[in-house]
Amino acid sequence: MKAPPFQLQRIDHVVLRVRDSAAMEAFYCNVLGCQVERRQESIGLLQLRAGASLIDLVAVDGKLGRMGGAAPVEEGRNMDHLCLRVDPFDRQTIVDHLSANGVTVTEFGNRYGADGLGPSQYLLDPEGNAVELKGPPEPQSTEGQGS
């Protein structure tokens, strides 16, 4: 099999189909620190800057959203989860911030991501989508490794 004529670099953007655009914009901007990059109200699209990536919010009742069918519901999600790399990662400070903003905080653990194994905190956005906040990789032990 021939290799593709390109190399994957990173996630460019994630598109979420949303029922309440205002609540989702407030959550991603005010709680997680995204910034509005572009609004295309004529088609129901809001693009948020998330570091080097974008999170696109598509209103299910807008032009683009209607093309995608029914709105996501608890039993029928439009994705499993979105992972955002964050730095610094102080779990208690993160949980305190999320809790102060009424965010549902779920599982914590060490999980493998693009940068390696490191801390990760799951939470739910206002429409029940799972969001993972991923910290930097843990330093690898050099014990037992040759120099």
XYZ file of all heavy atoms in Angstrom, residues 112-118 136-145:
119
model
N -3.163 8.589 27.710
C -2.227 8.836 26.633
C -2.861 9.780 25.618
O -4.019 9.628 25.246
C -1.848 7.525 25.944
C -0.667 7.682 25.025
C 0.628 7.672 25.527
C -0.848 7.877 23.669
C 1.720 7.833 24.693
C 0.239 8.034 22.831
C 1.522 8.015 23.348
O 2.590 8.181 22.522
N -2.094 10.771 25.188
C -2.548 11.712 24.170
C -1.426 11.988 23.191
O -0.398 11.303 23.192
N -1.588 12.999 22.372
C -0.634 13.305 21.307
C 0.773 13.551 21.826
O 1.754 13.259 21.141
C -1.114 14.517 20.517
N 0.896 14.089 23.053
C 2.211 14.383 23.620
C 2.731 13.287 24.546
O 3.824 13.400 25.084
C 2.176 15.703 24.393
C 1.925 16.895 23.484
O 2.315 16.833 22.301
O 1.345 17.880 23.958
N 1.947 12.237 24.774
C 2.360 11.161 25.672
C 1.399 11.015 26.834
O 0.318 11.600 26.858
N 1.795 10.238 27.827
C 0.970 9.949 28.995
C 0.994 11.132 29.952
O 2.068 11.637 30.289
C 1.495 8.697 29.707
C 0.669 8.171 30.860
C -0.682 7.682 30.364
C 1.411 7.048 31.575
N -0.176 11.555 30.376
C -0.238 12.678 31.297
C -1.621 12.821 31.901
O -2.548 12.074 31.569
N 0.324 18.285 30.286
C 1.575 17.888 29.637
C 1.960 16.461 30.024
O 1.530 15.946 31.043
C 2.587 18.898 30.165
C 2.021 19.354 31.465
C 0.525 19.302 31.311
N 2.781 15.840 29.194
C 3.202 14.473 29.503
C 4.047 14.441 30.769
O 4.721 15.415 31.105
C 4.022 14.060 28.280
C 4.491 15.338 27.684
C 3.420 16.357 27.989
N 3.960 13.315 31.447
C 4.776 13.117 32.646
C 6.208 12.815 32.224
O 6.423 12.151 31.200
C 4.223 11.958 33.470
C 2.812 12.205 33.965
C 2.201 10.982 34.610
O 2.658 9.845 34.354
O 1.246 11.163 35.363
N 7.194 13.280 32.996
C 8.586 12.936 32.659
C 8.755 11.421 32.689
O 8.219 10.746 33.562
C 9.407 13.589 33.765
C 8.491 14.586 34.416
C 7.100 14.109 34.179
N 9.455 10.892 31.697
C 9.681 9.456 31.649
C 10.895 9.099 32.513
O 11.879 9.814 32.524
C 9.926 9.005 30.225
C 8.698 9.143 29.362
C 8.922 8.571 27.969
O 10.032 8.274 27.575
N 7.849 8.421 27.234
N 10.751 8.008 33.210
C 11.833 7.524 34.042
C 12.974 7.025 33.159
O 12.747 6.357 32.161
C 11.336 6.382 34.952
O 12.418 5.762 35.588
N 14.197 7.345 33.551
C 15.364 6.860 32.798
C 15.966 5.636 33.473
O 16.936 5.077 32.993
C 16.431 7.968 32.677
O 16.799 8.394 33.992
C 15.919 9.130 31.873
N 15.350 5.201 34.584
C 15.848 4.042 35.306
C 15.776 2.803 34.424
O 14.744 2.538 33.780
C 14.974 3.833 36.557
C 15.497 2.774 37.492
C 14.658 2.721 38.745
O 14.530 3.748 39.411
O 14.161 1.629 39.053
N 16.859 2.077 34.326
C 16.878 0.843 33.563
C 17.140 1.065 32.087
O 17.145 0.126 31.330
N 17.311 2.312 31.666
C 17.582 2.591 30.263
C 19.060 2.900 30.085
O 19.678 3.522 30.922
C 16.747 3.786 29.779
C 15.253 3.536 29.836
C 14.462 4.752 29.374
O 15.022 5.776 29.022
N 13.149 4.626 29.392
